[in-house]
Amino acid sequence: RQVSRMSMYVRIKRKNQTTFLYTESTQKISNIIANLAEIHELEDEDAIRIIKGEEALDGDKTITDYKIANDEILYVVYKSDDGDWEEVDIQKPAKQEKKET
């Protein structure tokens, strides 16, 4: 079975940070994790997990396996020193009050 390759972007969010990755639909999740580790200068790829919705993604599967769409938002969490995974925590910017003139 032939899988068509499609170039795409995914947005990966953590706290107040968004990383945009240009990738292929046939890319394995483990390769995306490796790219994130390099971008964020993290030494331990095993301490990074990508989340889609409520599901932690398996590194051996591909973007196509998870039906991830172009420009879809994924989340990244890190393993803490005590071995627990952090919760998905997206911080929204504070609303600025409008000045009256």
Side-chain angles (χ1 to χ4, degrees), residues 44-96:
D44 186 6
E45 292 176 19
D46 293 332
I48 301 171
R49 183 180 278 175
I50 296 178
I51 308 290
K52 179 183 178 192
E54 299 290 322
E55 181 180 11
L57 305 186
D58 180 343
D60 292 331
K61 293 189 176 181
T62 66
I63 289 175
T64 300
D65 293 335
Y66 286 108
K67 297 178 175 57
I68 296 170
N70 184 46
D71 201 33
E72 186 161 346
I73 298 172
L74 304 174
Y75 303 94
V76 65
V77 294
Y78 297 154
K79 188 184 284 188
S80 64
D81 292 336
D82 64 7
D84 291 331
W85 291 97
E86 65 186 13
E87 297 290 321
V88 172
D89 178 21
I90 304 304
Q91 299 171 1
K92 296 182 180 180
K95 288 186 178 182
Q96 294 181 357

Side-chain angles (χ1 to χ4, degrees), residues 3-8 23-28 62-66 68:
V3 177
S4 65
R5 292 174 62 148
M6 181 179 88
S7 297
M8 60 191 298
T23 187
E24 299 286 333
S25 60
T26 55
Q27 187 85 280
K28 284 189 173 187
T62 66
I63 289 175
T64 300
D65 293 335
Y66 286 108
I68 296 170

